[in-house]
Amino acid sequence: MPVLNSKELRIVGFLCNWCAYGGADTAGVARAGQPTDLRIIRVPCSGRVDPLFVLKALLEGADGVLVSGCHPRDCHYAAGNFYARRRLEVLKRFLPVLGIDDARFEYAWVSASEGQRWQHVVTSFTKRIHAMGPAPHFDDAKPLLRVADMALTALRPLGTAQNAAVNELKQVIKDKLPELNCVIGWQQGYDGAHATPLFMKTPEDVDKLSWGPFNVMNPAVYLPLFKGKKTGVVVKGCDSRSVVELLQENLIKREDVIIFALPCEGTLDIARVNEKLGRYTRINAVAYDEAGVTITADGKEHRFCMNDFAQGKCYGCATPMAVLADTRLGEPHKVNPVSSVPPELAMLDDMALSERMAFWRGQMERCLRCYACRNACPMCVCRDYCVSDSRNPHWMSQDADINQKLFFQTIHALHLSGRCTGCGECQRACPVGIPILALRQQIARAVAQLFDDYKAGLNPAALPPLLGYEAHEKNIHERDWK
Amino acid sequence: MRIGIFICHCGSNIAGTVDCARVAEISTGFPDVVYATDPVYTCAEPGQAAIEAAIHDHRLDGVVVASCSPRMHEPTFRRTVERAGLNRYLFEMANIREHVSWIGKDRDANTNKAAELVKMAVAKLRNNRPLLAKSFEVNKKVLIVGGGVAGIQAALDCADGGVPVILLERESTIGGKMAKLDKTFPTVDCSACILGPKMVDVAQHPNITLYAYSELEDISGYIGNFTVKIRKRATYVNWEKCTGCGACSEKCPSKKTPDTFNELTGVTTAINIPFPQAIPKKAVISAEHCRQLTKGKCGVCAKICPTGAVVYDMQDDVVTEEVGCIIAATGYDLMDWTVYREYGGGQYPDVITSLQYERLLSTSGPTGGHIRRPSDGLEPKHIVFIQCVGSRDKSVGRPYCSGFCCMYTAKQAVLTKDHLPFSQSYVFYMDIRAPGKLYDEFTRRAVEEYGVEYIRGRVSAVYPDGEGAYVVMGVDTLLGRSVEIKADIVVLAVGIEASRGAAALAEKLRISYDNYGFFMESHVKLKPVETNTAGVFLAGVCQGAKDIPASVAQGSATAAKVLALFARDRLENDPQTAQVDTRRCVGCGKCIRCCPFGALKETTIRGEIKADVIETVCQGCGLCTTTCPQGAVQLSHATDNQILAEVNALCRC
Amino acid sequence: MSTIRILASDGLPAFLSFLSQKHQRVLVPVVKSANKRSVIFEPWRAGMPVVLEKATVPPKEAVLPQCETLLTYKKSKNQEDLGDITVSLDDTPEALSTAIFACRPCDARGFRVLDRPFLNGLFPDPYYKARRESLTVFTITCSSGCNTCFCHWVGGGPSSPEGSDVLMTKIEEALMLQAISPAGEALLKDCDLPDGRDIFPRAEAARKAAWASLAPAPDLKQAPQKIAALFGNDDFWQSQTSGCLSCGACTYLCPACYCFNITDEGDGFGVHGGRRLRSWDNCMSSLFTHEASGHNPRMLKTPRMRNRVSHKFSTYPENWGTFSCNGCGRCISNCPVSLDIRAIVLAALDNAG
Amino acid sequence: MNDDINLSRMRDAAFTEDVEAQSGQKVSDCYQCGNCTAGCPAGFVYDRQVNQIVRAVQLGLKDEALGSRSVWMCLSCSTCSLRCPNNIDVAAVMETLRHMARRENRVAAPKVENFWFSFLDTVRAFGRAYEIGTMALYMLRSLRIFTDLDLAPVVFKKKKLGFMPHVVPHGGAAAVARIMRRYKERAVHERVRP
Amino acid sequence: MTYAYYPGCSAKGSSTDYEKSTQAVCDFLGLTLVEMPDWNCCGSTPAHAVDTELSAALCARNLDIAARQGAEMLLTPCPSCLSNLKHAANRLEKPEFRARVDALLDNPAAGNFPAVTSVMQGIAAHCDVNDIAKHIRKNLKGLKLAAYYGCLMSRPAELMDFGDPENPSLMENLLAACGAEMLDFPLKTACCGASYGIPERAVTARLSGRILKLAACMQADAVAVACPLCQMNLDLRQPQAAKAADAFFNMPVLYFTQIMGLAFGLSPAALGLEKLRVSADSLLRKLEAEGGKS
């Protein structure tokens, strides 16, 4: 393969056939001289440009990527570029969390008649890329391990839910049971410090239902499997947002799901609990008090205060009570609605771009591609048909290299744009503790910034921001190429 | 695959700065390439013959031509490979002229870039699949939205061509803006006299179904097979029975109803027929002003109506029609001129729009064709016309020229002199745009024969002088001096914008519109009446400012498009449509939500919900492919794998 | 008696450095700090801090990498006839001689399970073989059981020597190294660590204490037949499987799972040519049995879980005499929803009994 | 004065660019509608109307633009900017031209400049404006008797103007004087007319 | 909100009446105006006409004093000062410009300047129309007034933030709240001729003449103004303007604060009415007469 002319950098362009490509033709016809770096891929519409193409190019060695299409309102397909604008803007705000300079990616609207503008766009973008030089690669980064600061203050008091109306709830469930296929909840797992899902079909099953800080997993993940069968689900506040999101996306039907809710007082970060418990053979006792639990394992007492050992997401949680439920019992604590940056994201915010790159290098190395993150995600409904293991489309190879592993995380994150409720199951499920939730949190933050503080999973009737558009976007401003 | 590569010299256009032979040589190293050459003119007849020969001689099943832009010659070469027996989609182009040779002088860099573009094309081609068009039946019936002069012309031409027409009009009468005009330029013939007969033809033509006082509710389907829902708004009069005698209007006690037909220059009755020549000549009750409907007591019209046509409890009715194509002819409205505080628009009674002035000139208008000031009913002596009020004005977001104001201002000035021989008209103008046949002559006549004072310059302020007249302060830029005129009436040539509701209609029709609401044609020069949505055509001012002759011409042009389309019994689709891999599809419906054309729908396959592409509706934008997380919807000819192949060809090196 | 050496804690770097001279890489457990910390085997470099904990991920990668290039291929064209293509292959196994330092007895036993499909029979896998034959396993015995360990249920134990070349036992701050295999013997003889025969009894005592700390194991002798008998009992499997998310954490973290997938990448032209990759596969995924025809015998997660449990506790032992599970418990502790394979096996015993 | 304008010789594109750069306005956007002139309250004392000044700038006719009395007569009322259909801040263009003209010592309306200097001199001296002082200085400079002599009786009767200058306390006057001095020094250094 | 008050030079010279009435009215409404110390002239038209940097430097010194004083808002009655201060603050946001201005100052100016606004807006922000109505002691009912803003107050719109630049309405709102009948005065933002009274009095005479003539035609009892220069041109120069307009005027031209003060029942002396050239007596008489009626 011809190598790049030594003066050139690798710049990939995705141009819509009708406007930008035509603009580039017009520039050519006008003999409007341009740098030679850019290679143009012709697509029917800027709406066809999956942000993942851009990421793929950047991960695979592009130094810059330029997407160009019709001016808003001029789309050959009426609205393709409106969708593109939202998706590409989200991408632009996502790149930095990976450690990729967002200046390496740009989108511009150029009409078929704007040869001069095209010349200008190409020239200034190429200049910009040259000023930044060749893009750094994840392969070359020196792994960096850093741990987020978990000394956090919660927006509400965290506790162990011992006063929750569990018995009352059990009765309600028992009453409803005859009309339901099953009710999903939690029960004690292989020991008192681990809960496992419970599928209640009989009143005896209902008696096994547990409620408390060990109920970490999100039962909403199972709901799409029961599509068409009337199913009950017991939810924490965060779980209910996943249910709402599933409803919003028509993945389950409202009439098929009965939601039971108790106020959540936070759940434990089992990873940190396990680490402190260390090696033990059996648990002798789990004692609850208002602020935490004391676990006696092999005769030794370990104290876990909820405020110190809650899951990262619980500290910033503003929905302790289900946002949507058929049965609500108990009163949640009042939430002090202060916006807070989740711990891992805050850690990344404090890093330079190069450090972030090194960080992901250091973290993703140990990824096993077991896809527990994906399968634990309630919004990952492709499951068996995930593009990660597909040859058509063939987005990824089976190589165990950093680019493939990280690319999968970006696929997941971008597919969750405007959909991720931040339940954190991806990160919790990861056997090797990669803080991948931060990537989803950055997407959610970008979506909130761009679309009027939109948060997924609060309103089943809301239009997901990336499945809609505004002709005039309030928070997306065209870049000035003058 | 067995791929052949043709690196075109395009004379010296490409070969001047690209080493074409070298590119061909490099190409031989690409996978599946079995043949590469560098003809001097590939698109010329011998060049095309060489491609056909190479397909036969080298048993090629894929061809890459590296030459000019595919926007130029892709159709040409597709036909070439098709002649040689290949499917037209087993062909790719690399643009090494507009994107390489013409924009850079560095021969080495260009050669290298050209080779990479060929490599990308090969990579894509290796993922191409033969695609075949599908054919479908055409419903030979047309819907025309808007009964102004453009819509009327289109309707009559289509109907004369034997096509059944559904003509939709929002107001209670067709005729549009032209019906409000007194005379037309440059011949100064009577608007009603030339439009009237056409309106009557519409009413009488057996092929035309007229829905007046109706609006388009919803559209689904695609070229050849649209389903439209039409909302017939409640008129409170049974038009089957109404004879248009006008007895109701005479007796209606609610006589202060704003007269919209007269541009609010006068009042009418709550039940009325807008003007004597209205088509259909049927009465309509204005619900906000009718005493029976607002207060529940009156009922005079029902009593007086000889045919008992009045129905106070009438409801809107929605009817469904099936058509094969649609013509949008929705015209225009005036921009909000009251933003011009300095002219006192909407503030002083005698500062009026030219359309209002037109009604004052018209015999069917509120003054019976006598020019009288709205404020005191006196005849004006000094009339000031101000052009470009809301045209060519970026500061109010109206940068475009409204096209016909120069001409009608001249016409109105001329008519003013005819009506009031002792009057003096002044026209403030920036430029006179009179490019039509006999137009410039007409404006000259206004000056030379009618003594209209044309002042090259603008007006800075209009305000009452406290003595019943208005001070018009302006400038004559030719003199370089400010001028002041005492005017009795000031007529603003208010700029136009797309008809209200145009944007909403565009969204229903799935066509593009510009920032001012004007619909976008498919190509400015070569497809002026087509849109990018197959089967939707544009006539008249809805596409951009134009005068009556141009609107009529466009009306006829769309009729020609409709007749040409309906000359065929079946249509073929472009096979570059989305395809659903039903096994991968999880039925989440995201693609359905964002398809700009409604080309995806839900279907049930073995009890599971899946997406399904209506291939004839799909326009091939690929938004669904981008939206589908599992890649279950793939746009043929721009699949993920095809684009990824191009990305990989570039980046993995 | 085999060779026994004693390694003082401060002598660890020197010993690892000694091992590095004998092997191209020495895999040692290191901590990957994160909010959820993990312990991973990584090639040792001077100055690298080592932890003697049970690793999150077993050292299976030493012989069966997550993804390996089986062969590379290059296509070249006949310049006279561009359609005439010659393919050249390079399938030399990429095998570094490796020492694994401080894996656990369950991990070491895992290699025995892997050996069967890859080494035995008519067609030994050359890639695996090359790596396996240059592998030395230093195992550290466990001082106690833990909540998810069940090695002693399946024939192993906290000081099981199977699969190890050297068995190490921690005594206070020192390690007692005991040669198990001839290779281990040779290595220990060759090193300059002091003789540790006199502390062997203390090590023995520690091992006994470890055994004593274990809860009594149930008798799994009937497991193969009983699980087989449940093959058609959908209700049983469904009830045991409903929580499963079908991810691959259990199998990818299992020292005894060896299933793989093969894919080709690259068109064979250009500098990169093409590669045939072998990568881990996962029987809990529906794609595992996705056939070329489109048919999938294990479309649902229930038969998939039945397959995994049956394979480990029924069909494998019936065919090959041992469980293909070493009781390391990683599938339990790493399951995102805390499913417990022990419970399924016990339920099977109960159900049929 | 009314010589032919030889565009090929007199056209100074750099001047146009200069004006655009300094004023931040795109003069080429102007299509000469005349709105600025129509609204200009001072147009009747201009020798070139505003649109003509802009035209001169468009054509790069530097002498025409900078030599005009109009730039000195501009009242800075911004009506032109407000009315411009092309969103040009015409007042900013006028101001830019005035600054350019001053720096090049082309003062077409010395009376006006004299008045400004008189004003600024009093500010320099006292830190604040002092109307009587301004007038006195202005009369000295322009060698004109009190131009508003007709107003004098009323002014004094009504005590419209204070006889005593109002000096800024706390040394502010000195600070202002320093500002003026530095400004002058810099102008000299940069070789422009202060 | 902490205010700094910048009276402007005219307050100490030609328009002591404006200053007096402003102080009196604000005092009455409980809006305390504390004159900032050591302020200097903003440079007025001459400074910015000569050089924007010089003008900005003179303004920057004042803005700096206000900022260091900890003021959040700087109030000034004079539109010319207002315009200069606002322009300067705006231009100083550009770092290069700021650097050049800083070089003219003794010390670089403080980082954050207070917002600058007019006393008129300050009053409106301090108390709404209803509050003002509560303070009325002498309703101005029957007085026909033309509010005249001049050209500077509302322009440029984006900088001055004074509502519709062609049709501001704040003064009408305030005075209507006092009971006056406010005419829709078309020339409310026309230019009066500004500082050309001295060097080019013909300009001023003609422009002021047109304004006064329209006000007279509309039968205004008085013109309300908010600018010292406008007041001087319309009042002091009224005979010159009359000559230019070929008319005779006897049109009182009062500061809006003086009119508000009358409504609040403050004495003519407290409002400095004696300073007017065209006496406000006719106005006061009409007010008495109307008051008698109601």
Side-chain angles (χ1 to χ4, degrees), chain E residues 32-238:
Chain E
T32 321
L33 297 179
V34 181
E35 183 172 331
M36 49 185 267
D38 203 28
W39 57 270
N40 59 266
C41 174
C42 69
S44 192
T45 309
H48 76 77
V50 164
D51 193 294
T52 37
E53 287 168 8
L54 174 62
S55 169
L58 292 170
C59 291
R61 187 174 171 275
N62 293 314
L63 291 166
D64 186 49
I65 293 170
R68 290 185 201 281
Q69 193 187 317
E72 294 163 77
M73 187 73 89
L74 180 61
L75 289 182
T76 179
C78 170
S80 172
C81 301
L82 179 71
S83 169
N84 276 319
L85 291 168
K86 278 192 169 235
H87 269 292
N90 185 42
R91 290 199 174 107
L92 284 166
E93 278 171 18
K94 280 200 189 127
E96 319 88 73
F97 186 83
R98 193 179 188 110
R100 282 187 64 84
V101 170
D102 277 344
L104 298 177
L105 301 173
D106 288 350
N107 298 303
N112 277 328
F113 296 141
V116 185
T117 194
S118 63
V119 167
M120 197 193 295
Q121 284 161 296
I123 291 175
H126 177 74
C127 47
D128 68 16
V129 172
N130 295 330
D131 293 335
I132 289 173
K134 275 182 221 145
H135 284 93
I136 304 298
R137 303 245 178 92
K138 198 187 262 177
N139 198 300
L140 302 185
K141 216 171 133 200
L143 275 198
K144 271 175 139 178
L145 300 177
Y148 172 69
Y149 295 83
C151 51
L152 285 174
M153 202 77 165
S154 61
R155 299 203 284 256
E158 56 283 7
L159 188 66
M160 300 307 279
D161 192 22
F162 201 79
D164 183 345
E166 291 275 9
N167 187 24
S169 56
L170 187 57
M171 201 188 324
E172 279 98 327
N173 294 347
L174 293 176
L175 297 179
C178 297
E181 179 191 335
M182 300 309 295
L183 297 167
D184 189 357
F185 191 56
L187 296 180
K188 60 168 84 168
T189 62
C191 181
C192 67
S195 59
Y196 287 85
I198 296 172
E200 291 286 348
R201 59 190 271 185
V203 177
T204 308
R206 178 158 162 178
L207 296 177
S208 299
R210 183 184 319 208
I211 293 161
L212 289 165
K213 190 168 183 184
L214 183 65
C217 268
M218 293 175 78
Q219 295 168 335
D221 293 317
V223 174
V225 296
C227 168
L229 205 51
C230 298
Q231 204 275 344
M232 176 138 77
N233 286 339
L234 295 181
D235 179 42
L236 188 60
R237 294 179 188 279
Q238 202 168 97

Side-chain angles (χ1 to χ4, degrees), chain B residues 497-628:
Chain B
E497 62 187 18
S499 153
R500 82 194 136 80
L505 178 67
E507 275 162 27
K508 283 183 190 146
L509 290 170
R510 301 192 170 100
I511 58 176
S512 308
Y513 54 99
D514 66 19
N515 283 324
Y516 320 104
F518 293 115
F519 302 150
M520 299 282 289
E521 64 284 354
S522 199
H523 189 283
V524 192
K525 292 190 182 67
L526 301 178
K527 291 183 173 179
V529 298
E530 290 97 318
T531 66
N532 288 333
T533 299
V536 178
F537 304 103
L538 306 175
V541 186
C542 66
Q543 174 264 347
K546 55 183 67 65
D547 58 14
I548 293 167
S551 297
V552 170
Q554 275 202 339
S556 289
T558 51
K561 290 285 166 192
V562 171
L563 294 173
L565 181 70
F566 288 172
R568 282 176 290 174
D569 293 329
R570 297 183 74 80
L571 292 176
E572 279 199 344
N573 76 328
D574 178 343
Q576 294 180 65
T577 57
Q579 304 290 331
V580 180
D581 177 345
T582 48
R583 270 184 310 175
R584 295 188 75 79
C585 176
V586 299
C588 68
K590 291 187 180 70
C591 52
I592 299 173
R593 277 205 208 190
C594 62
C595 175
F597 304 97
L600 284 136
K601 61 177 187 344
E602 269 188 11
T603 182
T604 308
I605 297 178
R606 287 195 218 113
E608 285 184 74
I609 291 175
K610 302 285 179 185
D612 189 22
V613 177
I614 310 164
E615 286 183 34
T616 41
V617 185
C618 176
Q619 303 284 308
C621 67
L623 192 58
C624 50
T625 312
T626 307
T627 304
C628 179

Side-chain angles (χ1 to χ4, degrees), chain A residues 141-145 357-366 402, chain C residues 32:
Chain A
K142 192 167 168 282
L144 168 75
L145 293 177
M357 194 168 248
F359 177 79
W360 290 115
R361 167 75 211 255
Q363 298 291 338
M364 291 314 302
E365 269 182 337
R366 62 179 183 277
I402 176 84
Chain C
K32 293 289 174 183

Side-chain angles (χ1 to χ4, degrees), chain B residues 392 394-395 430 456 460 480, chain D residues 31-33 38 49 83 85 87:
Chain B
R392 303 175 67 197
K394 266 194 257 179
S395 68
M430 274 196 255
R456 202 288 167 192
S460 73
Chain D
Y31 57 48
Q32 289 293 327
C33 68
Q49 293 302 325
R83 298 278 166 79
N87 298 321

Side-chain angles (χ1 to χ4, degrees), chain C residues 118-134:
Chain C
F118 289 117
L119 294 183
N120 298 352
L122 283 175
F123 302 102
D125 183 88
Y127 310 96
Y128 181 88
K129 188 162 183 256
R131 288 193 207 102
R132 185 66 175 101
E133 283 172 352
S134 60

